[in-house]
């Protein structure tokens, strides 16, 4: 099982110049005694966040937006039928929610995150490589 979702964070969430793409997949099978848990799930996220040192708060906000906005729905019924549902939180909650990024067994978040190393110039970085 593989599913892909995207989240735009650039230019009021309309432009696709910034944002993230997340891919979720199920890997292998669990042992029979672990069957109710299902297969191991992995989510890989790649993102392009705001550049420049002055935009640290914006980068952090874009990261949080990607984590909170991406939900994996099963096509072609999206967004009504979740691929692997999880129960909604709260007393008496009966609604099933589609999985988000952090609901996986393992998450890899990488890309052009544009965070800067302050106080080290390019030659010093190259000397350490």
């Amino acid at each position: 099982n593989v599913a892909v979702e995207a989240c735009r964070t650039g230019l009021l969430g309309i432009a696709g110049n910034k944002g993230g793409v997340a891919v979720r997949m199920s890997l292998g099978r669990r042992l029979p005694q672990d069957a109710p848990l299902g297969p191991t799930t992995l989510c890989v996220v790649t993102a392009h966040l705001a550049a420049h040192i002055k935009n640290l708060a914006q980068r952090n906000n874009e990261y949080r937006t990607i984590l909170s906005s991406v939900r994996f729905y099963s096509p072609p019924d999206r967004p009504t039928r979740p691929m692997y549902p999880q129960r909604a939180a709260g007393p008496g909650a009966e609604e099933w929610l589609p999985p988000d990024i952090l609901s996986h067994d393992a998450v890899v978040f990488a890309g052009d995150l544009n965070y800067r190393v302050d106080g080290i110039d390019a030659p010093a970085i190259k000397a350490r490589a």
Side-chain angles (χ1 to χ4, degrees), residues 41-97:
T41 58
L42 170 66
C43 183
V44 179
V45 184
T46 183
H48 186 201
L49 305 181
H52 308 296
I53 292 173
K54 65 182 180 184
N55 292 328
L56 175 63
Q58 183 178 349
R59 269 190 299 284
N60 291 341
N61 187 51
E62 290 173 353
Y63 169 78
R64 285 189 293 273
T65 298
I66 292 166
L67 286 183
S68 65
S69 299
V70 172
R71 291 268 178 193
F72 294 94
Y73 299 94
S74 66
D77 302 336
R78 64 187 272 179
T80 57
R81 210 169 96 209
M83 191 168 163
Y84 288 103
Q86 61 188 24
R87 188 164 295 279
E94 294 300 321
E95 178 187 1
W96 288 92
L97 298 174

